[in-house]
């Protein structure tokens, strides 16, 4: 049998005394939590351990004795420590002692109540008690196999130390009857700033919760469910992002305490994400309002819009001629060209009508950056959608016209083959047609076939323009999703205190000698950056296309409408 003793490195210089900790019989392991050094009364120690078990729900007991020969050199001490095994009955009784000035440690076990005592091989494992208690062990991704079994054994060690936090709240300055040595025995680790923030966060969270409940009540009111407010709320990215941030504020201002480590990390990630988002938004706002940049932006917007309109007019004039030497249907070409030119004229009039108010609109829009950089980016996406509304209209008109011709040609092609589409059974069935139906079908098929190149060219040009706008909006929403979903607090924690996010442990051999216990040092392996992002990534409300290339090409060929984003209420994990 191999006996594993996990000994805290902070207790290496402790005075002689007894070892308290937890015995894990399934693993034949002892987890030492602290050293109770002399003087002490055994009855008081038992009462203290009973109270500790009631609070922590951890079966803490006296596991053995600890002798520091630098502190005590009397021979009677070792005999006294052995006699303590009769008072604190535990099998096996672990004895750890330091051998004079030697760097080796002596570790042995006594089995007084066993009829057939067996000699056990002992492995003494040192661990950093502070790091183990503050860290959170993440299970491996594969939940089966030997790695998962090893992780479950390690989690018992980590869980024992983490649940014994009450034990570490007493230091040597306490005037109690029991003196302990552990990682906080020289003083409880705390921060005055953190404690003041905890005290101040209670009324702040209560006020924020009241304001958020009032705001969420207004958002759920029937007034916003009527058209067109409901339509605008579902289509504008700004409204959806504000609703998403409102949910984040409700999470971090909730009075409910986080039950697990993942819930605590999620709250911390949301809080840091909000802080950085607002800080970046304030920096953007300060940059916009410095040196009258908003005025310069408003003065530049109208000439840019006129230039885009001129380029579109030149493009339509090119399509109304002989584009790339192609022979177009002149009548249909002229009708479509004039129709789209009239829309461009309406759009230019719409822009010039708003020109006196553009600077004021941009001035008030710039103030929204104080709500966060993501809100400002969503407003930019909505502004792009409004400024390119004429391109969207061109695309819709061309897609509908092209789609009608494609479906008409496919239906007439089935007519030639003596087939028809059965709407009830959703399949193609055989059908007999008379001569008049075949004659009219031939005429319609010929007309649609010769008009198809003209319609397809307009559809292709406006689809490319629409895809360009969709790509720009998709890049903006990708940046918004990155800010919303990136676990910034976890990444900062991984950078500064990597032991807090533990993926496992590794053991380094300190000493190995015949007849002596094997001494190992347990070190924490931190979680990789990719693992941190994968584990603590926040849920997002995706705005950019998720269609595959095959589905996108099929939609383009059939002339189906391509929407630039999914509905933002659709949660992406």
């Amino acid at each position: 049998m191999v006996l594993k003793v996990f000994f805290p490195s902070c207790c290496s210089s402790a005075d002689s005394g007894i070892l308290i900790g937890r015995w894990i019989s399934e693993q034949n392991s002892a987890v030492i939590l602290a050293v109770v050094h002399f003087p002490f009364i055994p009855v008081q120690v038992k009462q203290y351990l009973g109270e500790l078990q009631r609070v922590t729900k951890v079966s803490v007991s006296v596991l053995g004795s600890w002798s520091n020969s630098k502190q005590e050199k009397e021979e009677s001490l070792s005999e006294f420590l052995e006699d303590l095994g009769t008072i604190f009955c535990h099998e096996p009784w672990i004895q750890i002692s330091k051998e004079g000035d030697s760097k080796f440690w002596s570790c042995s076990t006594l089995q007084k109540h066993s009829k057939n005592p067996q000699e056990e091989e002992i492995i003494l494992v040192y661990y950093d008690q502070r790091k183990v208690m503050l860290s959170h062990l993440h299970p491996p991704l594969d939940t089966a196999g030997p790695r998962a079994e090893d992780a479950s054994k390690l989690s018992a060690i980590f869980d024992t130390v983490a649940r014994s936090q009450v034990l570490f709240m007493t230091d040597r300055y306490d005037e109690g009857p029991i003196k302990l040595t552990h990682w906080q025995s020289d003083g409880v680790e705390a921060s005055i700033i953190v404690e003041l923030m905890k005290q101040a966060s209670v009324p702040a969270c209560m006020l924020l919760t009241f304001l958020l409940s009032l705001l969420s009540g207004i958002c759920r009111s029937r007034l916003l469910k009527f058209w067109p407010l409901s339509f605008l709320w579902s289509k504008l990215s700004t409204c959806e992002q504000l609703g998403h941030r409102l949910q984040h504020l409700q999470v971090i201002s909730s009075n409910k305490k986080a039950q697990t480590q993942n819930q605590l990390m999620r709250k911390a990630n949301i809080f840091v994400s909000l802080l950085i988002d607002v800080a970046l938004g304030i920096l953007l706002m300060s940059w916009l309002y410095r040196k009258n940049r908003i005025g310069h932006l408003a003065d530049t917007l109208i000439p840019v819009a006129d230039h885009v309109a001129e380029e579109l007019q030149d493009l339509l004039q090119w399509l109304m001629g002989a584009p790339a030497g192609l022979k177009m249907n002149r009548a249909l070409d002229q009708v479509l060209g004039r129709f789209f030119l009239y829309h461009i004229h309406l759009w230019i009039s719409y822009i010039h009508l708003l020109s006196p108010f553009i600077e004021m609109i941009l001035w008030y829009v710039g103030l929204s950056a104080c709500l966060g950089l993501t809100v400002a980016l969503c407003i930019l996406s909505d502004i792009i959608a409004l400024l390119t509304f004429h391109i969207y209209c061109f695309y819709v008109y061309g897609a509908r016209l092209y789609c009608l011709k494609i479906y008409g040609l496919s239906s007439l092609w089935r007519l030639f083959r003596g087939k028809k589409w059965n709407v009830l059974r959703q399949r193609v069935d055989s059908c007999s047609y008379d001569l008049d139906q075949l004659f009219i079908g031939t005429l319609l098929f010929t007309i649609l076939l010769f008009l198809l190149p003209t319609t397809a060219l307009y559809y292709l040009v406006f689809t490319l323009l629409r895809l360009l706008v969709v790509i720009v909006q998709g890049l903006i929403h990708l940046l918004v999703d990155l800010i919303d979903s990136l676990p910034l607090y976890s990444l900062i924690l991984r950078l500064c205190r990597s032991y807090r996010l533990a993926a496992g442990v590794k053991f380094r051999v300190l000493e190995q000698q015949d007849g002596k216990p094997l001494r190992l040092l347990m070190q924490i392996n931190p979680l990789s950056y990719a693992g941190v992002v994968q584990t603590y990534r926040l849920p997002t409300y995706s705005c950019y296309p998720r269609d595959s290339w095959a589905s996108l090409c099929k939609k383009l060929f059939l002339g189906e409408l391509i929407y630039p984003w999914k509905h933002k209420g659709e949660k992406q994990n």
Side-chain angles (χ1 to χ4, degrees):
M1 292 289 290
V2 177
L3 174 64
K4 297 180 288 293
V5 180
F6 291 86
F7 189 79
S9 56
C10 57
C11 298
S12 299
S13 59
D15 297 341
S16 299
I18 55 176
L19 303 172
I20 62 173
R22 178 190 176 191
W23 173 256
I24 306 175
S25 58
E26 298 84 2
Q27 305 178 24
N28 199 33
S29 303
V31 183
I32 308 301
L33 297 174
V35 175
V36 179
H37 48 80
F38 302 112
F40 61 84
I41 301 175
V43 176
Q44 293 179 343
V45 174
K46 289 183 177 181
Q47 292 177 354
Y48 177 74
L49 293 180
E51 183 69 20
L52 196 63
Q53 289 183 19
R54 187 183 62 83
V55 175
T56 62
K57 308 299 181 183
V58 178
S59 57
V60 182
S61 60
V62 178
L63 301 179
S65 61
W66 159 259
S67 175
N68 192 341
S69 59
K70 288 186 177 181
Q71 299 292 333
E72 301 288 344
K73 297 184 179 180
E74 293 81 1
E75 296 180 356
S76 58
L77 177 64
S78 58
E79 298 178 357
F80 173 71
L81 292 175
E82 290 181 6
D83 294 338
L84 287 176
T86 59
I87 302 176
F88 303 101
C89 298
H90 185 271
E91 291 287 340
W93 181 259
I94 302 172
Q95 291 181 320
I96 304 177
S97 60
K98 197 170 185 179
E99 301 176 354
D101 296 332
S102 174
K103 62 179 182 180
F104 294 103
W105 297 75
S106 173
C107 184
S108 60
T109 58
L110 292 178
Q111 298 180 0
K112 295 184 178 180
H113 302 284
S114 178
K115 296 181 180 179
N116 298 318
Q118 298 178 356
E119 186 177 353
E120 294 182 320
E121 182 182 352
I122 301 174
I123 299 178
L124 189 60
V125 182
Y126 284 93
Y127 71 95
D128 192 327
Q129 199 171 53
R130 177 178 180 271
K131 290 183 178 181
V132 171
M133 199 202 82
L134 296 179
S135 64
H136 174 59
L137 183 63
H138 297 75
L141 297 178
D142 50 338
T143 56
R147 290 188 60 193
E149 185 179 354
D150 295 339
S152 63
K153 293 179 180 179
L154 286 174
S155 62
I157 310 297
F158 278 71
D159 184 64
T160 299
V161 180
R163 289 166 60 186
S164 305
Q165 187 176 1
V166 179
L167 174 66
F168 307 135
M169 298 306 294
T170 57
D171 52 35
R172 64 180 182 178
Y173 303 105
D174 293 336
E175 297 180 355
I178 299 176
K179 300 298 181 180
L180 299 173
T181 298
H182 46 76
W183 73 279
Q184 288 195 132
S185 55
D186 290 334
V188 178
E189 187 178 274
S191 173
I192 298 178
I193 298 177
V194 172
E195 294 300 325
L196 291 177
M197 289 179 64
K198 286 181 181 179
Q199 297 296 327
S201 63
V202 176
C205 286
M206 293 178 62
L207 178 61
L208 187 59
T209 303
F210 172 74
L211 294 177
L212 289 175
S213 61
L214 183 63
L215 185 60
S216 60
I218 295 175
C219 294
R220 289 194 298 266
S221 64
R222 293 184 178 181
L223 182 63
L224 295 179
K225 295 181 180 180
F226 293 108
W227 194 90
L229 293 179
S230 60
F231 177 79
L232 292 177
W233 185 267
S234 62
K235 295 300 180 184
L236 290 180
S237 303
T238 307
C239 297
E240 295 292 344
Q241 179 62 23
L242 287 174
H244 184 45
R245 284 307 189 191
L246 181 61
Q247 293 179 2
H248 282 175
L249 287 173
Q250 289 175 342
V251 169
I252 63 177
S253 63
S254 175
N255 295 328
K256 186 183 296 184
K257 187 178 179 180
Q259 301 296 326
T260 61
Q261 179 73 13
N262 288 334
Q263 292 180 0
L264 180 62
M265 294 294 289
R266 181 172 181 266
K267 278 191 173 185
N269 285 322
I270 291 175
F271 181 71
V272 174
S273 177
L274 279 172
L275 281 183
I276 294 179
D277 187 20
V278 173
L280 293 176
I282 292 175
L283 286 177
L284 176 63
M285 185 176 64
S286 64
W287 181 82
L288 286 174
Y289 286 95
R290 193 181 297 128
K291 298 181 181 179
N292 196 24
R293 287 190 175 92
I294 290 184
H296 297 322
L297 183 62
D299 295 338
T300 309
L301 192 60
I302 300 300
V304 170
D306 291 336
H307 179 70
V308 172
E310 291 176 2
E311 293 293 332
L312 286 175
Q313 287 176 344
D314 294 341
L315 178 63
L316 288 173
Q317 292 294 341
W318 178 71
L319 290 175
M320 291 171 67
L326 297 176
K327 181 67 175 178
M328 311 290 289
N329 184 282
R330 184 167 181 79
L332 181 61
D333 194 12
Q334 292 295 320
V335 170
L336 291 177
R338 291 175 183 175
F339 177 75
F340 291 128
L341 284 174
Y342 177 69
H343 274 73
I344 292 177
H345 174 71
L346 288 179
W347 182 71
I348 293 175
S349 303
Y350 156 71
I351 292 296
H352 283 278
L353 186 64
L354 291 177
S355 58
F357 310 101
I358 285 181
E359 184 175 357
M360 182 180 64
I361 292 173
L362 291 179
W363 196 89
Y364 284 108
V365 166
L367 292 177
S368 64
C370 64
L371 299 176
L373 180 62
T374 55
V375 176
L377 290 175
C378 289
I379 291 177
L380 177 62
S381 175
D382 292 334
I383 290 175
I384 292 175
L386 292 175
L387 292 179
T388 58
F389 183 70
H390 60 300
I391 296 178
Y392 178 72
C393 291
F394 294 166
Y395 165 70
V396 171
Y397 299 151
R400 289 299 185 191
L401 191 58
Y402 176 77
C403 182
L404 287 175
K405 291 193 175 182
I406 288 294
Y407 280 101
L409 287 172
S410 63
S411 178
L412 294 173
W413 177 251
R414 287 193 293 268
L415 183 142
F416 287 158
R417 296 183 296 137
K419 306 286 185 179
K420 75 169 184 178
W421 175 254
N422 192 330
V423 180
L424 295 178
R425 296 181 180 271
Q426 294 293 309
R427 69 183 185 186
V428 177
D429 294 334
S430 299
C431 181
S432 59
Y433 298 97
D434 56 21
L435 186 61
D436 294 338
Q437 290 175 327
L438 291 174
F439 178 72
I440 295 175
T442 304
L443 289 178
L444 292 176
F445 183 82
T446 306
I447 294 171
L448 292 178
L449 183 63
F450 283 105
L451 293 179
L452 181 63
T454 305
T455 308
L457 185 61
Y458 276 89
Y459 168 68
L460 178 62
V461 171
F462 293 134
T463 299
L464 292 177
L465 292 176
R466 178 61 186 164
L467 285 178
L468 181 63
V469 176
V470 168
I471 290 173
V472 174
Q473 287 185 290
L475 292 176
I476 293 174
H477 289 295
L478 270 175
L479 183 58
V480 172
D481 280 355
L482 181 65
I483 298 175
D484 282 343
S485 64
L486 203 62
L488 297 174
Y489 175 76
S490 300
L491 290 174
I492 294 172
L493 202 63
R494 170 62 179 84
L495 182 64
C496 299
R497 295 186 176 183
S498 57
Y499 62 86
R500 294 287 298 272
L501 305 174
V505 297
K506 60 182 178 182
F507 296 95
R508 183 166 63 89
V509 178
L510 294 179
E511 293 174 354
Q512 185 176 11
Q513 190 179 13
D514 295 338
K516 301 293 182 181
L518 175 63
R519 291 182 60 195
L520 303 176
L521 177 63
M522 187 176 74
Q523 297 175 333
I524 295 177
N525 282 332
L527 199 63
S528 64
Y529 287 99
V532 171
V533 174
Q534 185 178 1
T535 305
Y536 294 110
R537 183 176 181 269
L538 297 172
T540 60
Y541 291 75
S542 183
C543 305
Y544 47 89
R546 297 277 185 172
D547 294 329
S548 62
W549 284 106
S551 176
L552 187 61
C553 292
K554 180 182 177 181
K555 286 184 177 181
L556 288 175
F557 178 75
L558 296 178
E560 298 179 3
L561 290 179
I562 303 172
Y563 293 98
W565 57 80
K566 288 188 175 182
H567 191 276
K568 291 189 73 174
E570 211 173 314
K571 192 174 180 180
Q572 302 288 340
N573 293 322

